[in-house]
Amino acid sequence: MNIGEVAATYGLTPDTLRYYEKVGLIPRIKRTSGGIRDYSEYDCGWIDFIKCMRNAGVQVEALVEYVKLFEQGDSTSSVRKDILVRERNRIAAQIAEMQSTLDRLNAKIDRYEQDIIPVELGYLI
Amino acid sequence: MNIGEVAATYGLTPDTLRYYEKVGLIPRIKRTSGGIRDYSEYDCGWIDFIKCMRNAGVQVEALVEYVKLFEQGDSTSSVRKDILVRERNRIAAQIAEMQSTLDRLNAKIDRYEQDIIPVELGYLI
DNA sequence: ATAGTACTTGGAGTTAACTCCAAGTCAAGA
DNA sequence: TCTTGACTTGGAGTTAACTCCAAGTACTAT
């Protein structure tokens, strides 16, 4: 698969894929004899994983760290796990925060729907 | 309350509060005779609301739009509600996305804990 | 009265994560 | 073979959301 096909498949742009490779967010992609990137299934697996993590707000830097350790082999397994645990916790905390904002927004929308006249601070805004 | 106290109360910096006011994310704050910002309870209510929304990832621009409409009075009520609904839906979608990433991460962490040797794509990364 | 700290402003600088550009190369169809 | 569109690179530009700075003013404690 060339870069355009991969980009279309995963809903990214070729520029983003090159950027990801440049900063080490995905391993270096092999080139054809003409110098064009040829993505393997393994590469696509990484892209899928990275896309999933980025969509959840995991920072590029954390993922770069993970990829780097992964390439260093089995000995880095426990550090890698620590990174995953740390990011998992971050995401869980973020979900909790967003859930409470969601509740607050729903309450506010309800008041808009019931045409409640704002009378005190909590209802005002 | 002056800017330092409000910043400490809400875990923001004075610079951030000035920035929020500058771009219209909170209404303009009244000044003392000496020109120093004096935050009322009403102002703090806004700050609390804005902080909550920002923590959930609602964009500054969307909130500016909301505040602007709010200042225009009751006639903008339904447009304001639409903004809230739109942002509510965005947050709900984002929570769903993060939840699925969380599940994936948890599965991956489990495999790390069980020392499962990566054999195929899904397990590899 | 004075020292010290926190406040004011306009505007410049920073960071993350892309996104775009120019100049050139490769590959597939007519 | 030629055209056309996608690919290559290094590097510059963009956007959002702050964050910092300089020069000056205001309040607070001694």
Side-chain angles (χ1 to χ4, degrees):
Chain A
M1 284 232 270
N2 69 24
I3 201 166
E5 290 161 350
V6 175
T9 302
Y10 291 98
L12 300 167
T13 68
D15 269 323
T16 300
L17 285 171
R18 289 191 204 99
Y19 165 72
Y20 281 177
E21 185 180 343
K22 180 153 64 178
V23 299
L25 208 155
I26 47 177
R28 181 168 170 80
I29 307 298
K30 280 204 194 99
R31 314 299 156 110
T32 64
S33 57
I36 287 177
R37 287 174 180 79
D38 185 24
Y39 292 81
S40 68
E41 248 190 87
Y42 173 80
D43 297 329
C44 291
W46 269 107
I47 289 161
D48 183 56
F49 171 62
I50 291 297
K51 197 202 164 189
C52 177
M53 295 301 135
R54 287 291 304 124
N55 282 349
V58 177
Q59 289 183 334
V60 166
E61 201 184 344
L63 295 167
V64 167
E65 194 188 354
Y66 182 78
V67 174
K68 208 177 284 173
L69 289 165
F70 196 92
E71 286 172 336
Q72 286 167 29
D74 285 353
S75 67
T76 64
S77 170
S78 87
V79 191
R80 262 146 57 203
K81 198 197 100 182
D82 290 346
I83 293 174
L84 297 184
V85 168
R86 187 189 67 203
E87 297 305 323
R88 189 261 314 267
N89 293 344
R90 242 198 262 286
I91 291 171
Q94 184 64 17
I95 288 176
E97 183 120 49
M98 293 177 88
Q99 188 58 56
S100 86
T101 300
L102 191 63
D103 295 343
R104 185 166 177 174
L105 263 180
N106 277 327
K108 194 180 289 295
I109 289 166
D110 280 352
R111 289 198 298 273
Y112 268 95
E113 272 166 2
Q114 290 164 35
D115 254 330
I116 289 177
I117 295 147
V119 278
E120 51 160 296
L121 260 180
Y123 293 81
L124 189 51
I125 299 158
Chain B
M1 284 228 271
N2 68 24
I3 201 168
E5 290 161 349
V6 175
T9 303
Y10 291 98
L12 301 167
T13 68
D15 268 324
T16 300
L17 285 171
R18 289 191 205 100
Y19 165 71
Y20 281 176
E21 185 180 342
K22 181 154 63 179
V23 298
L25 209 154
I26 46 176
R28 180 166 170 82
I29 308 297
K30 280 204 193 101
R31 313 301 155 110
T32 64
S33 57
I36 286 177
R37 286 175 181 80
D38 185 23
Y39 291 81
S40 68
E41 248 190 89
Y42 173 81
D43 298 329
C44 290
W46 270 107
I47 290 162
D48 184 56
F49 171 63
I50 291 299
K51 197 202 165 189
C52 179
M53 295 300 136
R54 287 291 304 125
N55 281 350
V58 178
Q59 288 182 338
V60 167
E61 202 184 341
L63 295 167
V64 167
E65 195 188 353
Y66 182 78
V67 174
K68 207 177 285 174
L69 290 165
F70 195 92
E71 287 173 336
Q72 286 167 30
D74 285 354
S75 66
T76 64
S77 170
S78 89
V79 191
R80 261 145 57 201
K81 198 198 101 181
D82 291 346
I83 293 173
L84 296 184
V85 168
R86 187 187 69 202
E87 296 305 322
R88 190 262 314 269
N89 293 345
R90 242 198 261 286
I91 291 172
Q94 184 65 16
I95 287 175
E97 182 119 51
M98 292 177 87
Q99 187 59 56
S100 87
T101 301
L102 190 64
D103 295 344
R104 184 164 177 175
L105 264 180
N106 277 328
K108 194 179 288 295
I109 289 166
D110 280 352
R111 290 199 296 273
Y112 268 95
E113 271 164 2
Q114 290 163 36
D115 253 330
I116 288 175
I117 295 148
V119 279
E120 52 160 294
L121 260 180
Y123 293 80
L124 188 51
I125 299 157

